[in-house]
Amino acid sequence: MNILLISECSKRALSETRRILDQFAERRGERTWQTPITQQGLETLHRLLRKTARRNTAVACHWIRGKDHSELLWVVGDASRFNAQGAVPTNSTGRNVLRREDENDWHTAEDIRLLAQLAALLHDLGKASIAFQGRLRGELLERNLYRHEWVSLRLFLAFVGKDDDEGWLRRLADPDAFDERLWLASDRYRRDGLDAADAYPFRDLPPLAAAVAWLVVTHHRLPVAPVVTKQPPTEVGGLVSNGLKVRIRVG
């Protein structure tokens, strides 16, 4: 095998490692050695370096495996003089150069996990509706007019009400501290198509509640806004169903 040895030693450790490395390899620079060597010879070199290592010793051994590839085998002494691949930094600084927090507001995966778990507990509340349960029992054959995730969203909005994130989370953690009659009050529920703010369910929500609400309502698909056309509808025909005339309009 062909190896490359890099020394980042200082003071007396530098002269000691040079004495050992000169016995096994040819110098390619002030602090660099290269040589073909057997596995037994490499183990002997490693053992001698470890035996004579001092506080200022730092030697990295690379296995040259091809024209454009090398592999770090080991480091003897102070490994902080090298990076994880055995390279030597040309400069160092204490400044935050990467500024990763500017590109990512999630500093830990714990926040994402907790939000996902909370949304998972709430996402199917809408399946408790009379219409959905009737379909499960085979009493209703037609499709539900409201998808269950939208009903789940409306129920969650009613629970949050006008509270901030701290308020609704405190009630969620301690149900006995909240009078459920307040949650069941009719003024806590928005009526789609009737109430002025019904089309903007996320407008007045606090940040955490808005994130949970979005996960709840999108766990199957993204919501689609109604398509409003300015063209007058054109009647193209009629159908009779259950004694009622149903007009089909396009445009």
Side-chain angles (χ1 to χ4, degrees), residues 62-109:
H62 297 263
W63 179 10
I64 302 176
R65 307 194 64 172
K67 292 182 179 180
D68 56 355
H69 177 65
S70 65
E71 177 183 339
L72 177 65
L73 295 179
W74 41 257
V75 174
V76 173
D78 186 5
S80 65
R81 304 283 183 93
F82 308 91
N83 67 8
Q85 291 75 39
V88 180
T90 57
N91 193 15
S92 62
T93 179
R95 295 186 299 110
N96 185 9
V97 179
L98 297 180
R99 300 178 65 89
R100 293 178 179 173
E101 65 278 2
D102 293 347
E103 301 179 2
N104 186 7
D105 293 333
W106 301 100
H107 300 296
T108 66

Side-chain angles (χ1 to χ4, degrees), residues 31 41 121 130 133 165 174 193 230 235 238:
R31 296 172 176 267
L121 293 173
I130 296 176
Q133 292 299 312
D165 284 327
D174 187 10
K230 295 183 179 179
E235 182 179 328

Side-chain angles (χ1 to χ4, degrees), residues 125-155:
L125 286 177
K127 290 184 177 180
S129 65
I130 296 176
F132 196 94
Q133 292 299 312
R135 288 197 64 205
L136 292 181
R137 291 191 297 266
E139 298 171 0
L140 299 175
L141 300 179
E142 67 272 11
R143 299 176 62 182
N144 289 325
L145 298 180
Y146 285 89
R147 289 193 57 83
H148 70 273
E149 60 264 33
W150 185 260
V151 180
S152 301
L153 170 66
R154 287 304 189 190
L155 291 173

Side-chain angles (χ1 to χ4, degrees), residues 2-60:
N2 194 6
I3 62 170
L4 180 69
L5 298 154
I6 310 294
S7 172
E8 284 296 306
C9 304
S10 59
K11 299 181 180 180
R12 295 180 59 184
L14 179 59
S15 59
E16 183 66 22
T17 54
R18 278 175 174 170
R19 182 184 63 82
I20 297 175
L21 293 175
D22 284 339
Q23 300 177 43
F24 287 83
E26 296 180 350
R27 289 200 193 188
R28 301 300 186 190
E30 273 303 303
R31 296 172 176 267
T32 309
W33 288 258
Q34 181 181 359
T35 185
I37 194 171
T38 63
Q39 183 63 39
Q40 184 178 2
L42 184 62
E43 293 173 357
T44 302
L45 172 60
H46 190 200
R47 184 170 58 253
L48 288 174
L49 288 174
R50 293 183 60 184
K51 184 177 180 180
T52 60
R54 302 171 181 266
R55 184 177 60 182
N56 297 315
T57 299
V59 179

Side-chain angles (χ1 to χ4, degrees), residues 204-242:
D204 300 322
L205 283 178
L208 188 62
V212 174
W214 182 253
L215 292 175
V216 167
V217 79
T218 59
H219 74 276
H220 280 300
R221 64 185 68 175
L222 293 176
V224 179
V227 178
V228 179
T229 177
K230 295 183 179 179
Q231 293 181 343
T234 302
E235 182 179 328
V236 297
L239 296 175
V240 177
S241 175
N242 296 327

